[in-house]
Amino acid sequence: MTAVRVVLAEDSVLLREGLLRLLSETGFEVAEACPDAESFLKAVEKHRPDLVIVDVRMPPTFTDEGVRAALVVRHQYPQIAVVVLSQYVEENYATELFAARSKGIGYLLKDRVADVGEFAETLRRVTGGGTALDPEVVAQLFSRATRKDPLSRLTPREREVLGLMAEGRSNTAIARELVIGEGAVEKHVSSIFGKLDLPPDAQDHRRVLAVLRWLGQEA
């Protein structure tokens, strides 16, 4: 299997070195690790990696340089998967990233890195065109979305299923998490599509469209 090539952007030396070691040990090839957004964008142009991993807050102002750089990558290099790491849940950044392009995108809290196996699996899923939203982001967005139609039509179980879909889980993984059969998951997913007014369309990825609808964005 060809190693996934990565460009990493993290200003903290300790975190950067830790991520470098983690990525190397789990089979990723790090083309370059950068301390700021400017050098990160130059590295992306130079290496054209499969995946970039970017901290939200980077020098010089430590506000949104990282997420802005991630959005540049999304627009200029749509074939490159993007995973953004954040210390805290910042809903606006998550929704903006997913609105920019709905495939090959992840938004995770840095705490998730501690589970090395799950983190590596998430990176590979996003590289393959999947999506990944941190469970904490999911929880906060659901809290905000409860007052919005058509989300109010969903049952509590359908909300659970949609939340796991937003994390990038497959039907099999959702069934395992909720301890129900895959057939039951398929029924819930079909019901979610119907309630969110997402009819079958070969041109659209309805799982992603459902998550975007939930985020309050236009598909």
Side-chain angles (χ1 to χ4, degrees):
M1 182 182 296
T2 303
V4 174
R5 298 182 71 246
V6 180
V7 167
L8 169 67
E10 168 60 62
D11 64 283
S12 166
V13 174
L14 287 177
L15 283 175
R16 190 165 65 246
E17 292 301 319
L19 284 167
L20 276 169
R21 180 175 178 178
L22 182 157
L23 291 167
S24 176
E25 291 178 349
T26 51
F28 293 84
E29 176 188 336
V30 180
E32 193 166 339
C34 310
D36 55 61
E38 183 178 358
S39 61
F40 162 72
L41 289 174
K42 290 179 179 178
V44 171
E45 182 179 9
K46 176 182 177 181
H47 299 289
R48 303 297 174 93
D50 305 302
L51 168 71
V52 296
I53 304 172
V54 194
D55 185 8
V56 166
R57 300 177 182 274
M58 300 193 74
T61 67
F62 294 95
T63 54
D64 62 354
E65 282 88 350
V67 75
R68 293 298 160 204
L71 287 168
V72 169
V73 174
R74 296 298 283 166
H75 288 296
Q76 293 187 1
Y77 310 101
Q79 76 281 9
I80 297 177
V82 174
V83 170
V84 172
L85 300 179
S86 180
Q87 191 69 42
Y88 310 103
V89 175
E90 300 181 82
E91 294 179 24
N92 291 340
Y93 294 157
T95 54
E96 192 169 2
L97 283 163
F98 275 77
R101 190 168 178 268
S102 57
K103 296 180 181 179
I105 183 71
Y107 183 99
L108 302 173
L109 295 185
K110 290 182 177 180
D111 291 347
R112 304 300 165 193
V113 177
D115 188 331
V116 175
E118 184 175 344
F119 180 64
E121 180 183 344
T122 298
L123 295 181
R124 294 187 189 283
R125 184 171 70 243
V126 173
T127 303
T131 59
L133 264 175
D134 192 280
E136 289 297 322
V137 180
V138 170
Q140 288 203 20
L141 289 170
F142 258 134
S143 176
R144 176 169 58 82
T146 52
R147 299 181 296 278
K148 296 183 178 181
D149 284 330
L151 293 162
S152 60
R153 305 174 195 167
L154 302 184
T155 66
R157 177 61 90 183
E158 287 166 353
R159 288 178 179 275
E160 285 185 287
V161 171
L162 181 53
L164 292 169
M165 286 167 60
E167 293 175 27
R169 308 286 187 95
S170 65
N171 284 1
T172 301
I174 292 172
R176 186 166 55 246
E177 177 72 20
L178 299 180
V179 197
I180 59 177
E182 285 192 52
V185 173
E186 290 174 4
K187 289 180 180 178
H188 287 310
V189 171
S190 294
S191 178
I192 289 167
F193 290 155
K195 290 179 180 180
L196 297 184
D197 302 316
L198 296 173
D201 186 336
Q203 299 303 313
D204 289 327
H205 191 317
R206 289 197 295 170
R207 293 178 80 91
V208 174
L209 292 174
V211 172
L212 289 174
R213 186 70 55 84
W214 165 54
L215 289 172
Q217 303 296 321
E218 303 223 345

